[in-house]
Amino acid sequence: MKRRSFLAGASVAGLAAASLATPAIAQGKRELKLVTTWPKNFPGLGTAAQRLADNITAMTDGQLTIKLFAAGELVPPFQSFDAVSSGTADMYHGAEYYWQGKSKAFNFFAAVPYGMTADELHAWIYWGGGQEVWDKVAAPFKIKAFLSGNTGVQMGGWFNKEINNIEDLKGLKFRMPGLGGEVMRRLGVAIVNLPGGEIFPALQSGAIDGTEWVGPWNDLAFGFYKVAKFYYYPGFHEPGTSNSLGINTDVWDSFTATQKTIVQTACMAEANRSLAEFNAKNGDALQTLLTKHGVKLKKFSDDVLKALGEASGEVMAETGAGDAATKEVYESFLASRKNSIGWSKLAEESYFAARRLNFKYG
Ligand code: CA
């Protein structure tokens, strides 16, 4: 029987029933595995990854059905990159500095000490050549990655004693990822890197003396205030940390042009929505920490911040003098950072200073 005559003879209802019974793959629907470095539905990080997965699924009408696996559900959190690189998973959602063991260059696409704010990072990645150098670094690992979230400026972290000068940092066991951790190490801190879900137990057992994580909203959720009372700012090490969606390049190449546009646009939307969420929720969470949980809010002294800045400058220069790919990323980053600093000084910094002047408003 010819296909045409078969179709002509079939009822519409019969076709619909056959279609429902057909496996997803036969309808052109693909299920893709997304692994994340975050605990399941962790506020702002796990939930952003889930929103992104759901949006891509919805916008492709299920043609790309993204199934999310939280930290440890398919692979341990820090193995997410390898899982996608090898094709065990199709995509990851995490922070690029977790992959600095693969190449130091990855740090630049999450956050580096005294680097860029969220807005400045977006300026670099979207308009300053950042995406191009990122693609070059990630391609040998069979990864194509996009910005897909941002925490804004992070806090300096939780300490079990006051940090009045850099001597107070010496000998502390502290959790901090990326190049910020290397900066602290140079000031005598014993640095460990732990995925989010492992920090609280380490803090509670005394395996670490302190930790940084993100900011008030996220840190409240993990309950660090139960163990450490001194909460320092600003987070010199993470001035606007991006999260990213990394996709196996075979998977990426298999997408249609429409699917690629959808994935890319969904990531950009989530980068924006996620930053707004952190900015919306940090203020109230900070008040809860201070008034309900007796947390002591402290600002690092200028001397401490300057010492951290000098060590950061050294670490960045050494990192930039590494392999050719990292050098290219560093130079692109530095040029964009310089450009942003010049403009930010006239625009945002001047405006913030003006808004703080003493006048009646509302
Ligand atoms: Ca952090």
Side-chain angles (χ1 to χ4, degrees), residues 200-246:
F200 186 79
L203 197 57
Q204 201 170 34
S205 72
I208 53 174
D209 300 313
T211 185
E212 71 78 56
W213 175 232
V214 178
W217 180 40
N218 273 189
D219 294 7
L220 174 65
F222 268 151
F224 300 136
Y225 61 85
K226 292 172 194 162
V227 186
K229 284 293 179 198
F230 297 100
Y231 195 24
Y232 272 86
Y233 70 95
F236 78 94
H237 62 304
E238 298 193 60
T241 307
S242 173
N243 299 319
S244 47
L245 183 77

Side-chain angles (χ1 to χ4, degrees), residues 13-342:
L15 272 180
S19 164
L20 281 174
T22 311
I25 191 83
Q27 300 171 45
K29 294 191 175 183
R30 294 170 67 187
E31 189 170 281
L32 298 172
K33 294 188 183 79
L34 167 65
V35 291
T36 83
T37 57
W38 324 116
K40 188 98 184 156
N41 285 324
F42 187 80
L45 301 169
T47 52
Q50 186 66 61
R51 276 193 307 245
L52 180 60
D54 293 344
N55 282 329
I56 294 171
T57 303
M59 283 194 278
T60 60
D61 200 19
Q63 299 299 304
L64 304 179
T65 296
I66 314 297
K67 185 168 166 48
L68 184 146
F69 296 86
E73 286 185 341
L74 192 65
V75 294
F78 285 170
Q79 283 177 29
S80 299
F81 183 93
D82 283 341
V84 174
S85 187
S86 67
T88 303
D90 301 297
M91 308 171 165
Y92 66 76
H93 191 274
E96 297 290 289
Y97 52 37
Y98 291 150
W99 330 131
Q100 68 165 339
K102 306 291 179 189
S103 167
K104 288 262 168 63
F106 284 116
N107 286 292
F108 293 90
F109 309 110
V112 295
Y114 285 103
M116 296 177 176
T117 64
D119 285 342
E120 292 168 351
L121 184 75
H122 289 179
W124 177 42
I125 298 295
Y126 298 138
W127 297 103
Q131 184 71 54
E132 288 79 358
V133 290
W134 191 0
D135 289 348
K136 271 173 121 171
V137 168
F141 299 96
K142 299 196 65 163
I143 302 276
K144 167 82 175 169
F146 297 105
L147 300 180
S148 67
N150 199 294
T151 65
V153 185
Q154 297 200 0
M155 291 290 282
W158 297 86
F159 293 81
N160 59 6
K161 62 172 191 178
E162 287 192 55
I163 306 299
N164 294 313
N165 52 58
I166 56 166
E167 293 303 311
D168 292 331
L169 289 171
K170 292 202 166 72
L172 281 179
K173 289 173 289 177
F174 199 80
R175 183 267 180 193
M176 183 179 279
L179 294 175
E182 175 58 20
V183 169
M184 293 283 264
R185 195 186 64 75
R186 291 185 186 202
L187 295 179
V189 180
I191 285 294
V192 293
N193 191 13
L194 296 169
E198 294 174 28
I199 302 173
F200 186 79
L203 197 57
Q204 201 170 34
S205 72
I208 53 174
D209 300 313
T211 185
E212 71 78 56
W213 175 232
V214 178
W217 180 40
N218 273 189
D219 294 7
L220 174 65
F222 268 151
F224 300 136
Y225 61 85
K226 292 172 194 162
V227 186
K229 284 293 179 198
F230 297 100
Y231 195 24
Y232 272 86
Y233 70 95
F236 78 94
H237 62 304
E238 298 193 60
T241 307
S242 173
N243 299 319
S244 47
L245 183 77
I247 306 163
N248 178 287
T249 45
D250 289 340
V251 175
W252 172 253
D253 292 342
S254 74
F255 289 168
T256 64
T258 304
Q259 288 168 341
K260 285 180 178 172
T261 304
I262 287 173
V263 169
Q264 203 167 350
T265 306
C267 285
M268 204 179 274
E270 193 48 52
N272 185 42
R273 179 165 36 206
S274 144
L275 178 62
E277 190 175 30
F278 278 96
N279 283 332
K281 296 194 171 164
N282 273 331
D284 285 349
L286 179 63
Q287 286 314 307
T288 302
L289 287 168
L290 299 181
T291 57
K292 211 171 143 192
H293 300 301
V295 167
K296 293 182 175 63
L297 185 64
K298 297 274 181 184
K299 185 172 186 294
F300 286 126
S301 70
D302 284 354
D303 284 350
V304 168
L305 289 171
K306 190 157 182 285
L308 290 166
E310 276 161 2
S312 297
E314 283 173 24
V315 168
M316 297 309 293
E318 286 171 29
T319 304
D323 60 275
T326 305
K327 193 165 186 283
E328 190 179 4
V329 171
Y330 177 62
E331 284 170 1
S332 174
F333 160 86
L334 267 193
S336 194
R337 180 180 181 273
K338 191 177 173 195
N339 184 48
S340 281
I341 287 174

